[in-house]
């Protein structure tokens, strides 16, 4: 049959992620993290062949919402969209992952330096909130959301730096790193980036540039060990 992934199969794959109670219709910002989490938890795997209709039905939203979410994921290179083809989850190989991490290191060394210049209390609070959410997800065994929140930490830090082009550049790399982590770290249930993130926040808050750069380099070293060496 033409539809290789049935309607019921999509329900079984994604039903484990209930939408928290809210008033009004879900928005793109509501549905985006849920679909990304499903990808990171491999409820939507690279081999899956899904459609806008099937995702819309599972998440209870219109095709237009799903289309915008997929466009956002496509911009981040997490989902591949091609004319006359169903959406497909990307699968970065080892060399692609190596290049992504190298580019991240070059960008984040500069971004963390800039973030140290004038850190604002509200920005630091946002970083700490993300780390707290990440830790809680790990405690509950919600690995996909924890990986996504770990990536959001780096994007928030980039926002603090105040350099829009670098922030945009990092935004194209972090989701792919999250995807690689989800695929290559399947056997490991431990993902303790939150502890390293807390140390980076402390260094940024204290405007200790050298320490912040050192901690970021060490953090990225650990990512490389997980994804390129293990």
């Amino acid at each position: 049959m033409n539809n290789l992934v049935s309607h019921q199969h999509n329900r079984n794959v994604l039903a484990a992620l209930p939408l928290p109670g809210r008033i009004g219709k879900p928005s793109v910002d509501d549905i985006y993290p849920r679909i990304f989490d499903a990808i990171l938890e491999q409820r939507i795997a690279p081999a899956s062949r899904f459609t806008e209709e099937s995702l819309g039905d599972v998440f209870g939203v219109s095709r237009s919402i799903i289309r915008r979410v997929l466009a956002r994921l496509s911009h981040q290179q997490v989902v591949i969209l091609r004319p006359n083809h169903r959406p497909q989850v990307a699968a970065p190989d080892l060399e692609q992952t190596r290049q992504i991490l190298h580019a991240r290191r070059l960008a984040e060394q500069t971004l963390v330096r800039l973030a140290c210049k004038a850190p604002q209390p509200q920005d630091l609070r946002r970083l700490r909130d993300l780390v707290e959410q990440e830790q809680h997800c790990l405690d509950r065994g919600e690995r996909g959301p924890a990986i996504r929140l770990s990536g959001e930490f780096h994007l928030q830090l980039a926002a603090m730096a105040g350099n829009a082009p670098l922030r945009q550049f990092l935004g194209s790399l972090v989701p792919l790193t999250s995807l690689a982590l989800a695929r290559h770290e399947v056997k490991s249930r431990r993902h303790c980036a939150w502890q390293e993130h807390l140390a980076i926040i402390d260094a940024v808050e204290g405007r200790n540039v050298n320490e912040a750069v050192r901690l970021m380099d060490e953090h990225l070293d650990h990512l490389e060990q997980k994804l390129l060496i293990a």
Side-chain angles (χ1 to χ4, degrees):
M1 88 185 149
N2 291 332
N3 188 359
L4 298 180
V5 175
S6 69
H7 172 82
Q8 185 60 42
H9 175 72
N10 279 289
R11 283 188 174 278
N12 293 339
V13 166
L14 300 171
L17 296 173
L19 182 67
R22 55 168 285 126
I23 299 174
K25 295 181 179 180
S27 67
V28 171
D29 288 338
D30 295 321
I31 299 302
Y32 165 81
R34 296 189 67 219
I35 292 182
F36 197 5
D37 288 349
I39 290 171
L40 294 176
E41 293 181 344
Q42 301 193 48
R43 291 190 172 94
I44 303 177
S48 299
R49 297 190 181 185
F50 51 92
T51 64
E52 293 176 1
E53 293 88 347
S54 63
L55 288 180
D57 182 65
V58 169
F59 289 103
V61 295
S62 66
R63 284 184 61 187
S64 64
I65 293 289
I66 294 297
R67 190 177 297 116
R68 289 164 64 190
V69 171
L70 292 178
R72 181 171 171 181
L73 289 167
S74 175
H75 180 71
Q76 296 173 327
Q77 303 179 69
V78 171
V79 168
I80 300 169
L81 298 180
R82 294 179 296 170
N84 303 318
H85 288 78
R86 292 179 181 177
Q88 183 179 0
V89 175
D93 61 24
L94 190 64
E95 181 56 29
Q96 288 174 311
T97 301
R98 189 188 311 279
Q99 292 179 18
I100 289 165
L101 292 176
H102 179 67
R104 276 192 61 170
R105 189 182 297 274
L106 294 176
E108 295 204 68
Q109 286 175 342
T110 299
L111 286 166
V112 76
R113 288 178 183 275
L114 293 173
C116 286
K117 286 188 174 182
Q120 298 301 306
Q122 65 271 19
D123 293 328
L124 295 167
R125 181 67 258 170
R126 174 59 178 157
L127 288 175
R128 294 190 187 278
D129 286 345
L130 286 169
V131 172
E132 184 176 353
Q133 292 175 51
E134 180 187 355
Q135 183 182 5
H136 287 167
C137 284
L138 287 169
D139 290 342
R140 295 192 296 266
E142 298 172 354
R143 186 169 165 275
I147 292 175
R148 175 176 52 80
L149 289 164
S150 177
E152 288 184 10
F153 169 88
H154 288 266
L155 297 179
Q156 175 64 23
L157 189 63
M160 288 178 59
N163 186 300
L166 270 181
R167 176 186 179 184
Q168 184 176 7
F169 178 56
L170 190 67
S172 69
L173 302 174
V174 167
L176 281 174
T177 309
S178 299
L179 191 59
L181 274 170
R183 295 195 64 216
H184 295 284
E185 209 185 20
V186 174
K187 294 182 181 179
S188 173
R189 295 311 229 174
R190 299 291 295 167
H191 183 71
C192 298
W194 66 269
Q195 295 168 328
E196 297 171 2
H197 289 164
L198 281 179
I200 292 171
I201 294 172
D202 290 341
V204 171
E205 186 172 22
R207 304 191 185 193
N208 189 336
V209 176
N210 291 336
E211 179 68 0
V213 172
R214 185 191 69 80
L215 289 168
M216 181 62 75
D217 273 340
E218 187 176 86
H219 177 53
L220 294 175
D221 284 343
H222 293 162
L223 275 179
E224 288 187 358
Q225 291 168 11
K226 289 178 181 179
L227 297 176
L228 305 179
I229 300 174

